[in-house]
Amino acid sequence: MLASNEFYHSIIEHNPDAVFILSNIGKITKVNQMGTTTFGYSQNEMKDMFFQDLIIPNQEEEYRYHLSQVLNGVPYESEFDAFRKNKEICHIQVKSIPLTTQSGLVGIFCVVKDLSELQKTKRLEARFKAVFNSSADAIDILRDSQNNISALSGIARDVTERKQLEESLKESEERYHKFLEYIPKGVVIHENGKIHYANPSALKILKEPNLIDKSIFSYIHSDFRELYKDRLSKIGNGTELPFTEIKMLQKDGKVICVEIGGVSIENDGIPVILTLFSDVTEKMKIERDLKESEERYRLLADNSLDLIQLVNLDGIVTYASPSHHTVLGYDPDEYVGKKVFYQPDGGRDERFKASFLKMYYTQKTFTCEIVRKHKEGYEVWVELKATPMFDKAGDFHYMMMVGRDITERKKLEEHLEYLGFHDALTGIPNRRLFQEKVEQRLKEAKRYQRKFAVMYMDMDKFKHINDTLGHEIGDELLKKFSNKVKRQLRGNDTLARQGGDEFTILLSEIQEETDAYRVAERILRSLQESWQIDEHIFQTTSSIGIAFYPKDGITFHELMKHADTALYQAKEDGRNNYKAYKSEK
């Protein structure tokens, strides 16, 4: 059963050669497959173009007028010469329809037909126009298989209008038939389910060598068969059957997902159903996998202990994980819709802002540590990794930030750092920190011509107390000793433990040597009182050696050596006193 002209016109009506959706300013927002085939561009390439980019320059004024008519709400039709991607010029017919809602114009719907072949034929026929116009007789044009004019022959004096109409219809039918043979959608005509026509795409989709006289219902999956029959029973002549997704069966029994629709028409005066369908199995699988993947990642994000934020290219947070409430005390909604730099307590972090903007412009991942305020007021340390995210086409799509609460780790690091510079028993600076402070003081004193002093001291007869009363009493004595000495120093002076019962003091700035002597005297007086630890009462004293910068040394080791020598001299003089270093020279 051959398809009628009405059938082919239905194919054209429901499957235009090329379809474009334009924005209000003429930018291409969507294009179908035939549109990309016609002009040779990919869909991604066309989405960055204006329709005007396709029109040759000398017709841009005509196109602008065409566009202005549509923007004024008037459907408009024009013909233009346009460029394909390979720079070939084609002749197109453009029918534009304004897309409107209650709020006004929202876009433009364009149907584009390639009239290049027709234009070629017109130009060929124009060459012989003079011959036709100058001849009183009719001249036949003979064409070869490629539709080229190969000869002029035959003179017919009376070609009737009927004959001309038949030839026109025949050419039209051949053109539409060729279109149907190459259309990627499956097309079948069926009457009460019996198939009268199937195009090559239908055979390919269903993997059948022949569909004529077979039932369309035998290829509908049993889960959808009754539903599909019910849909067909409710359409009348000329009624469209909206596209929907169902399952069909291929010849080998494999189930495929198809997008199917159609229209009721008359073919040679007989009511039939024109059905169009395409295999969307892979597309639906991709969509299903994508949805499952999104749900899986959403589940992971929603249950993660890490702080997770998605940020769009405008710097706005579009998603914040529930863990924000656990870690920072604020609900996720507090962050969504706000700039990524936003802090609920009003804080600002310029270092993070600079790092984030650098990532935005360089599109490179960065990691940093930031401090944020918990809703209850205490500080939370966060190790943050910010990553630019790209779509399948490689375009920068959005940014993802993942933050981990490292507050406990930072406290441990700070504690370890503290232990690295402080004595674990007394809590005062250790030998390492004391040396750093003296080295720093040496630089400042040299630069500004200042004086300072270093003291070296220990507790008299500490070993005897430690051995007789035990290490616990000895440790407690060391702590009480350091506290008493520290109370006699100024705020910018430093007391440090060198080890055992040995201590050092940095008097950071003095005017005269007598300033150091007065400090030593205060320390010795504070130690004269009896010591009581648990049930034990006893007395202990200290000996102190003093070295001055720059008189007694200009390096740390010189000053320490000479202060230690002075301490030895103080002990030689009977303990419980202080001595300044005296050179043996």
Side-chain angles (χ1 to χ4, degrees), residues 514-526:
T514 54
D515 295 339
Y517 300 152
R518 282 193 290 269
V519 173
E521 291 168 357
R522 286 201 307 270
I523 292 173
L524 293 177
R525 281 197 303 269
S526 71

Side-chain angles (χ1 to χ4, degrees), residues 206-477:
L206 297 178
K207 294 185 177 179
E208 280 281 9
N210 182 34
L211 286 170
I212 305 303
D213 293 334
K214 295 183 179 180
S215 173
I216 184 67
F217 302 123
S218 64
Y219 294 94
I220 307 295
H221 191 279
S222 57
D223 291 348
F224 295 88
R225 195 169 296 150
E226 294 304 319
L227 174 64
Y228 185 70
K229 287 181 178 180
D230 185 61
R231 293 185 73 202
L232 292 181
S233 67
K234 293 179 179 179
I235 66 172
N237 187 34
T239 305
E240 292 185 16
L241 197 62
F243 278 86
T244 187
E245 290 177 354
I246 67 170
K247 292 181 179 179
M248 293 186 73
L249 300 171
Q250 293 178 326
K251 181 182 180 180
D252 57 7
K254 181 181 177 181
V255 178
I256 60 172
C257 297
V258 301
E259 190 176 58
I260 190 168
V263 64
S264 174
I265 63 172
E266 284 191 1
N267 192 53
D268 290 342
I270 302 173
V272 293
I273 303 296
L274 164 65
T275 295
L276 300 93
F277 60 97
S278 56
D279 186 351
V280 294
T281 306
E282 188 62 26
K283 170 190 166 188
M284 291 186 66
K285 181 180 181 300
I286 293 173
E287 291 176 350
R288 183 175 64 252
D289 290 346
L290 180 60
K291 182 178 180 181
E292 290 176 355
S293 177
E294 288 176 347
E295 290 175 350
R296 182 165 58 252
Y297 286 119
R298 170 74 69 159
L299 183 64
L300 290 173
D302 285 350
N303 291 277
S304 173
L305 296 178
D306 293 340
L307 300 173
I308 301 174
Q309 289 186 358
L310 298 182
V311 184
N312 65 21
L313 297 185
D314 294 323
I316 303 298
V317 176
T318 59
Y319 169 83
S321 61
S323 54
H324 282 73
H325 186 272
T326 305
V327 177
L328 298 175
Y330 295 97
D331 289 334
D333 291 343
E334 179 69 29
Y335 299 90
V336 176
K338 298 183 178 69
K339 283 285 187 181
V340 67
F341 312 119
Y342 167 77
Q343 296 183 42
D345 66 327
R348 297 173 62 87
D349 190 339
E350 295 301 326
R351 187 170 67 90
F352 164 70
K353 184 176 182 179
S355 297
F356 183 89
L357 292 176
K358 182 179 179 181
M359 177 200 67
Y360 179 86
Y361 290 115
T362 64
Q363 299 178 16
K364 294 182 179 179
T365 298
F366 80 90
T367 302
C368 67
E369 293 180 356
I370 61 175
V371 182
R372 293 293 181 264
K373 278 286 184 69
H374 192 278
K375 192 174 184 180
E376 294 182 2
Y378 60 85
E379 288 185 342
V380 177
W381 277 91
V382 176
E383 183 181 66
L384 182 70
K385 182 176 182 180
T387 307
M389 306 302 291
F390 303 89
D391 59 21
K392 290 184 178 180
D395 296 324
F396 190 13
H397 194 46
Y398 63 94
M399 294 154 281
M400 180 172 69
M401 298 197 305
V402 179
R404 178 163 297 176
D405 183 355
I406 58 169
T407 305
E408 291 303 318
R409 190 185 84 188
K410 292 296 290 186
K411 287 180 180 178
L412 178 60
E413 289 175 355
E414 290 172 359
H415 180 63
L416 292 174
E417 184 178 6
Y418 177 85
L419 292 178
F421 290 94
H422 292 80
D423 177 56
L425 177 65
T426 63
I428 63 176
N430 60 14
R431 184 185 314 172
R432 178 183 175 189
L433 181 56
F434 184 78
Q435 181 174 349
E436 286 190 8
K437 286 183 174 290
V438 174
E439 297 283 6
Q440 180 63 33
R441 196 63 196 162
L442 282 167
K443 294 178 182 178
E444 294 173 356
K446 183 177 181 180
R447 181 182 303 168
Y448 300 110
Q449 303 298 309
R450 293 173 181 170
K451 298 178 181 179
F452 67 89
V454 172
M455 292 182 171
Y456 211 128
M457 62 187 298
D458 65 5
M459 281 191 287
D460 297 330
K461 300 180 180 179
F462 172 76
K463 185 177 184 303
H464 173 74
I465 296 171
N466 202 45
D467 290 344
T468 57
L469 299 181
H471 292 292
E472 290 185 4
I473 298 299
D475 288 347
E476 190 64 28
L477 177 59

Side-chain angles (χ1 to χ4, degrees), residues 1-4 6-8 10 188-197 232 235-239 262-275:
M1 177 177 179
L2 294 176
S4 66
E6 180 183 357
F7 163 68
Y8 293 119
S10 297
V188 297
I189 300 175
H190 51 94
E191 176 189 1
N192 296 324
K194 183 178 180 181
I195 299 174
H196 297 301
Y197 171 84
L232 292 181
I235 66 172
N237 187 34
T239 305
V263 64
S264 174
I265 63 172
E266 284 191 1
N267 192 53
D268 290 342
I270 302 173
V272 293
I273 303 296
L274 164 65
T275 295

Side-chain angles (χ1 to χ4, degrees), residues 51-77:
F51 193 83
Q52 183 176 333
D53 297 336
L54 302 172
I55 307 300
I56 64 174
N58 63 6
Q59 294 184 2
E60 287 182 354
E61 187 67 32
E62 184 180 348
Y63 172 74
R64 283 193 288 270
Y65 178 78
H66 176 102
L67 186 62
S68 68
Q69 294 298 305
V70 183
L71 293 177
N72 288 327
V74 180
Y76 206 75
E77 178 180 331

Side-chain angles (χ1 to χ4, degrees), residues 67-286:
L67 186 62
S68 68
Q69 294 298 305
V70 183
L71 293 177
N72 288 327
V74 180
Y76 206 75
E77 178 180 331
S78 301
E79 291 187 10
F80 302 100
D81 287 325
F83 285 121
R84 304 188 204 274
K85 185 178 180 179
N86 62 5
K87 304 305 180 183
E88 179 185 341
I89 296 178
C90 59
H91 191 73
I92 58 174
Q93 179 190 66
V94 182
K95 296 181 180 180
S96 299
I97 301 172
L99 298 175
T100 58
T101 63
Q102 292 181 349
S103 59
L105 184 70
V106 296
I108 300 169
F109 180 86
C110 289
V111 177
V112 178
K113 291 189 177 183
D114 188 352
L115 304 181
S116 302
E117 292 301 320
L118 179 61
Q119 189 75 357
K120 288 179 182 178
T121 301
K122 288 182 178 180
R123 285 196 293 267
L124 286 171
E125 291 176 349
R127 296 176 184 178
F128 299 96
K129 187 174 181 180
V131 176
F132 281 108
N133 289 339
S134 62
S135 175
D137 299 324
I139 303 175
D140 291 334
I141 300 176
L142 301 182
R143 302 177 185 271
D144 60 18
S145 59
Q146 283 76 42
N147 202 34
N148 297 317
I149 296 176
S150 60
L152 301 177
S153 67
I155 298 178
R157 294 185 175 275
D158 185 19
V159 178
T160 64
E161 292 184 3
R162 181 184 62 80
K163 193 66 176 178
Q164 293 173 348
L165 179 60
E166 287 176 356
E167 290 296 325
S168 176
L169 290 175
K170 181 179 178 181
E171 291 178 4
S172 175
E173 185 173 328
E174 289 175 352
R175 184 166 59 250
Y176 293 143
H177 182 74
K178 187 175 182 180
F179 169 82
L180 178 60
E181 293 297 303
Y182 286 97
I183 187 173
K185 288 184 182 292
V187 180
V188 297
I189 300 175
H190 51 94
E191 176 189 1
N192 296 324
K194 183 178 180 181
I195 299 174
H196 297 301
Y197 171 84
N199 74 340
S201 292
L203 302 178
K204 181 178 179 181
I205 293 172
L206 297 178
K207 294 185 177 179
E208 280 281 9
N210 182 34
L211 286 170
I212 305 303
D213 293 334
K214 295 183 179 180
S215 173
I216 184 67
F217 302 123
S218 64
Y219 294 94
I220 307 295
H221 191 279
S222 57
D223 291 348
F224 295 88
R225 195 169 296 150
E226 294 304 319
L227 174 64
Y228 185 70
K229 287 181 178 180
D230 185 61
R231 293 185 73 202
L232 292 181
S233 67
K234 293 179 179 179
I235 66 172
N237 187 34
T239 305
E240 292 185 16
L241 197 62
F243 278 86
T244 187
E245 290 177 354
I246 67 170
K247 292 181 179 179
M248 293 186 73
L249 300 171
Q250 293 178 326
K251 181 182 180 180
D252 57 7
K254 181 181 177 181
V255 178
I256 60 172
C257 297
V258 301
E259 190 176 58
I260 190 168
V263 64
S264 174
I265 63 172
E266 284 191 1
N267 192 53
D268 290 342
I270 302 173
V272 293
I273 303 296
L274 164 65
T275 295
L276 300 93
F277 60 97
S278 56
D279 186 351
V280 294
T281 306
E282 188 62 26
K283 170 190 166 188
M284 291 186 66
K285 181 180 181 300
I286 293 173

